[in-house]
Amino acid sequence: MKWTLLTAALVSAVSGAVAADTPLTQLMAQETRALRAISTDRLAGYVARTETEVEYSRDWLAQQRLGGNDRATECLAEALYFEARGESVRGQFAVAEVIMNRVDSPEFPDTVCGVIHQGTGKKYQCQFTYTCDGNPEHINNQAVYGQVSKVARLMVDGAPRQLTDGATYYHTRAVTPRWARSFARTASIGVHHFYRKPVRVSSN
């Protein structure tokens, strides 16, 4: 994996040349701890993942013939329908990237459905508003649902995540959440801004 190779390269570069209390060394130690916290199943998923070349267009997506949906794909398709159905194909893939990046992050549940339904049941305290706004979820546009289902299937199957630079948060341009002031904006696509949470390096 690219990030594992990068970590190894950085560790090699600083080995023996950087004092143990420098921020870079502390960052490497923090990343090592995070990697050790990842479950065996999640790591196995990284190894098994294969990337598919993607063109972010409706025509290209319409031509894709994909297999049936599993539970993860169904959860992701539902989220894309309610969170990004009005977006371009590119925007739908970008929102899907955030969800998949959360699955890979130790800060969030390690399944697609778990990420999407985190906090569901507590009104307006969930991660994805449509799951806790008190309104029923009805999928009325089957054509749009078919499109986002293809996006979901491709992302679950390992499509490249190259739009949001590792973002794990997003919001629409219509709102400005408090956390957005301190998070690093990584991309703006359609009606959404995308962010990464800052990495904290211990001062000790």
Side-chain angles (χ1 to χ4, degrees):
M1 298 175 297
K2 291 180 181 178
W3 52 268
T4 303
L5 294 175
L6 177 59
T7 299
L10 286 172
V11 170
S12 176
V14 301
S15 178
V18 180
D21 60 349
T22 64
L24 182 57
T25 301
Q26 293 171 14
L27 184 60
M28 291 297 98
Q30 183 178 0
E31 183 168 344
T32 298
R33 288 193 298 273
L35 288 172
R36 287 176 178 165
I38 297 174
S39 69
T40 302
D41 289 344
R42 182 178 281 179
L43 283 172
Y46 295 151
V47 174
R49 181 183 297 155
T50 57
E51 289 194 350
T52 303
E53 290 299 320
V54 172
E55 293 180 22
Y56 302 109
S57 73
R58 294 183 191 277
D59 289 344
W60 179 87
L61 199 59
Q63 294 171 8
Q64 304 309 302
R65 298 293 176 260
L66 306 172
N69 292 343
D70 56 14
R71 181 63 180 146
T73 303
E74 290 173 356
C75 285
L76 184 54
E78 178 188 90
L80 294 177
Y81 183 85
F82 290 109
E83 293 282 309
R85 67 178 177 269
E87 283 280 23
S88 65
V89 170
R90 187 180 186 86
Q92 291 167 356
F93 270 99
V95 170
E97 278 189 27
V98 170
I99 294 169
M100 299 306 295
N101 288 341
R102 285 191 174 197
V103 173
D104 290 349
S105 169
E107 295 187 20
F108 297 95
D110 61 2
T111 66
V112 173
C113 297
V115 163
I116 291 167
H117 293 286
Q118 186 178 11
T120 299
K122 301 176 182 178
K123 194 166 186 179
Y124 298 121
Q125 296 183 42
C126 54
Q127 297 294 308
F128 297 91
T129 306
Y130 84 90
T131 71
C132 66
D133 60 6
N135 298 319
E137 287 83 52
H138 295 303
I139 296 173
N140 298 317
N141 191 325
Q142 291 299 318
V144 172
Y145 183 71
Q147 175 175 301
V148 297
S149 292
K150 287 188 174 183
V151 173
R153 177 78 266 174
L154 287 162
M155 290 301 295
V156 169
D157 284 349
R161 303 177 202 171
Q162 54 196 14
L163 298 175
T164 65
D165 195 18
T168 48
Y169 292 83
Y170 69 88
H171 66 79
T172 69
R173 296 173 185 265
V175 300
T176 306
R178 192 182 317 171
W179 53 260
R181 301 171 193 165
S182 58
F183 286 21
R185 185 183 295 182
T186 62
S188 294
I189 300 172
V191 300
H192 291 105
H193 295 310
F194 298 85
Y195 299 82
R196 269 199 319 266
K197 188 175 182 180
V199 176
R200 293 184 179 178
V201 178
S202 174
S203 60
N204 295 330

